[in-house]
Amino acid sequence: MQSLEEIEREIKNCKRCELWKTKTNYVPGEGNPKAKIVFVGEAPGREEDKQGRPFVGNAGKYLTEVMQKFGLKREDVYITNVLKCRPPNNRDPKPEEVEACKPFLIKQLEAIKPDVIVCLGRHSAGVIFELFGLNFPGISRVRGKIFEIDKWGKNVKVIAVYHPAAVLYRPQLKEDFENDFGKIMEVLKEKKVRETTLLDFV
Ligand code: URA
């Protein structure tokens, strides 16, 4: 199995779709290779493309703020996107771009084997839910709900939330977004309690 660093190197040489021609930097993802939680967005925006880092623009600043509010540090989690290159003018990802880029996301998840996967927005949720054989009736139907899958020999939770850019655009979504973060934290805490209890019996 490839390490995250090897996957990152492969991403930075990718020409599987046309987006490499218009991007400034590849944005493979960043964070803790041993993260218990992975956040998956849609695609890099202008600022991410400029810096080669995920979620560093306005939506990223808001995401980081909410993470901090709930006691999560960026360096403890892993953050990536479905697409590793910015689509011109932030247009929606094309299906062929998603198909070309998806193997990288799959390999990143395989390398990290997180306990919790958070889908940021409908594009990410659509891709991740399909990947794990979950029905996806739309973001507003699934957001904040906890889906359980058997993966990597353990129980893994998948949670979708609104995209932070959508929340900035429609502040009335803020309450749902932050409540959903509360649920994410509960799931993480539950996992921790279970692990500690198991260790007590060893
Ligand atoms: N929106 C995303 O989906 N990903 C980023 O990295 C930034 C904005």
Side-chain angles (χ1 to χ4, degrees):
M1 206 213 344
Q2 281 176 293
S3 70
L4 266 185
E5 274 174 19
E6 284 165 342
I7 301 163
E8 193 170 308
R9 231 173 291 136
E10 205 185 321
I11 291 170
K12 288 181 174 170
N13 286 305
C14 179
K15 294 186 175 156
R16 292 185 192 174
C17 78
E18 301 291 294
L19 292 179
W20 70 274
K21 293 181 185 166
T22 47
K23 59 107 188 65
T24 312
N25 285 296
Y26 290 98
V27 185
E30 67 180 22
N32 187 339
K34 293 198 171 116
K36 296 225 175 288
I37 178 164
V38 171
F39 289 84
V40 183
E42 175 183 329
R46 184 200 299 269
E47 195 56 35
E48 290 77 20
D49 176 65
K50 213 195 262 177
Q51 295 189 35
R53 297 180 56 209
F55 282 99
V56 288
N58 285 337
K61 283 190 189 126
Y62 174 57
L63 174 66
T64 308
E65 206 181 287
V66 177
M67 281 171 58
Q68 278 168 354
K69 182 169 165 184
F70 284 87
L72 278 178
K73 293 196 203 105
R74 274 185 72 123
E75 55 270 32
D76 292 339
V77 309
Y78 193 82
I79 309 182
T80 188
N81 284 299
V82 173
L83 295 190
K84 316 304 190 196
C85 290
R86 181 192 185 209
N89 302 315
N90 295 355
R91 63 157 169 74
D92 283 351
K94 292 182 183 169
E96 61 269 28
E97 292 161 354
V98 172
E99 282 317 302
C101 216
K102 205 161 64 178
F104 292 130
L105 176 62
I106 295 172
K107 286 200 279 189
Q108 287 173 316
L109 292 172
E110 285 285 332
I112 301 170
K113 299 184 173 48
D115 289 333
V116 182
I117 300 170
V118 180
C119 313
L120 297 165
R122 65 192 168 98
H123 286 284
S124 161
V127 171
I128 301 260
F129 274 53
E130 194 213 301
L131 202 60
F132 295 124
L134 297 167
N135 182 34
F136 182 67
I139 187 71
S140 50
R141 299 279 290 277
V142 301
R143 58 139 276 273
K145 293 191 182 141
I146 296 153
F147 294 84
E148 303 193 37
I149 54 169
D150 282 322
K151 197 76 198 159
W152 309 305
K154 62 181 177 182
N155 171 274
V156 174
K157 310 266 205 269
V158 178
I159 307 171
V161 300
Y162 287 127
H163 194 287
V167 182
L168 287 182
Y169 189 69
R170 293 171 63 199
Q172 66 270 31
L173 301 181
K174 211 168 170 171
E175 196 180 330
D176 282 342
F177 184 73
E178 300 199 8
N179 282 340
D180 292 349
F181 251 81
K183 292 188 193 153
I184 294 168
M185 296 313 293
E186 272 170 34
V187 168
L188 275 177
K189 251 181 248 158
E190 248 171 54
K191 289 254 178 198
K192 212 181 263 173
V193 169
R194 208 169 318 129
E195 276 166 19
T196 321
T197 319
L198 281 175
L199 281 176
D200 286 347
F201 286 103
V202 175

